[in-house]
Amino acid sequence: MKRQGGAAVVTTGTDVEEVGDLDATAAQASGDEPADGIPAGVAPADGEPADGIPADGDPGPGGDEPDPGAGRRVLRVVAGVLIVALLVAGGGLFAAGRQLRDTPATSNRALTDSEATTRVAGDVTNALGKVFSYSPEATAVTKESAKQLLAGKALQQYAALFGQVEKQAADQKLTLTTHVVRAGVTRLTHDSAHLLVFLDQVYERKGKDASRAAAQLSVTAQLRDDRWTIVEITSR
């Protein structure tokens, strides 16, 4: 055997067989040959990993592929949730709005209907001026006015007291004149009203100087036969 350059030459008689590089021959002899038929020291071609998996990471045949309809299903679920939320919010706003419209403040016509407020104040003012004004000669007229302008508890209380007043007026020659200074409507519905009334009353006895007094009343009135009738009077 002779060595020529880096190769070994085996001579058997006249034939010469070139075995190849010693290092490669040694590798083959030891059995260290790479799997998949790729020679040692040779890099795989670009885009072709050694394990046979494409470079972009996509699974090979038999792998799980992305479901193109999954994204659409998620969007439909999200849209459904948003619609339900909007409906719930809308119902809550509607209920809140209705509750606001039905509050005592907004249902009080004294704050919104000036014409009706003026009318009830006028009717009550006129009634109080008549039932709380009398003279010794005209108590019967006052009593009759009370029957028309008062009702319920107010009429019962007035009738019980006016018997005493009528006798005093005749004995003492007493005259009472009542003027409504101000009548404020605090609450008004289509058939009921509450008022705060301020009165100025002048008492006159025959042969004596007149005396003046102020009074404050809480009045409840009801609409009956298209006219406001006083049903309760409370002194304040």
Side-chain angles (χ1 to χ4, degrees):
M1 178 178 65
K2 298 180 180 181
R3 181 176 296 272
Q4 296 180 355
V9 179
V10 179
T11 57
T12 55
T14 58
D15 294 330
V16 178
E17 181 180 357
E18 190 174 277
V19 178
D21 188 271
L22 290 176
D23 295 334
T25 302
Q28 292 176 357
S30 64
D32 293 336
E33 187 171 298
D36 300 330
I38 301 176
V42 179
D46 292 341
E48 292 294 337
D51 293 336
I53 300 176
D56 58 2
D58 292 339
D64 294 335
E65 296 183 359
D67 185 359
R72 290 192 295 270
R73 286 194 295 271
V74 172
L75 290 177
R76 285 197 296 269
V77 171
V78 173
V81 172
L82 289 176
I83 291 174
V84 172
L86 289 174
L87 290 176
V88 172
L93 291 175
F94 176 78
R98 183 171 183 178
Q99 184 177 6
L100 182 62
R101 290 192 298 271
D102 293 340
T103 56
T106 56
S107 62
N108 187 359
R109 294 178 61 191
L111 305 176
T112 59
D113 193 336
S114 59
E115 183 178 353
T117 302
T118 301
R119 180 186 174 189
V120 66
D123 286 355
V124 170
T125 295
N126 179 63
L128 293 176
K130 288 184 177 181
V131 300
F132 289 121
S133 296
Y134 52 82
S135 66
E137 299 82 12
T139 54
V141 175
T142 302
K143 187 186 296 186
E144 188 62 29
S145 296
K147 291 179 181 179
Q148 298 177 5
L149 302 173
L150 305 180
K153 186 178 180 180
L155 181 58
Q156 294 173 4
Q157 292 174 337
Y158 187 88
L161 294 174
F162 194 75
Q164 302 175 13
V165 171
E166 188 174 18
K167 187 176 185 301
Q168 291 177 355
D171 294 344
Q172 300 177 15
K173 304 300 181 182
L174 179 62
T175 299
L176 175 64
T177 304
T178 299
H179 297 283
V180 175
V181 178
R182 184 174 181 181
V185 182
T186 58
R187 180 166 177 77
L188 175 63
T189 65
H190 69 284
D191 63 352
S192 178
H194 296 274
L195 302 90
L196 185 62
V197 183
F198 297 89
L199 306 176
D200 183 19
Q201 296 181 306
V202 178
Y203 296 88
E204 297 178 273
R205 289 182 175 88
K206 188 176 181 179
K208 294 184 179 181
D209 294 336
S211 61
R212 187 181 299 272
Q216 181 178 342
L217 303 177
S218 177
V219 178
T220 301
Q222 289 183 350
L223 186 62
R224 298 183 176 184
D225 298 328
D226 200 35
R227 183 181 63 187
W228 287 98
T229 302
I230 297 174
V231 295
E232 186 173 354
I233 301 174
T234 304
S235 178
R236 297 174 66 90

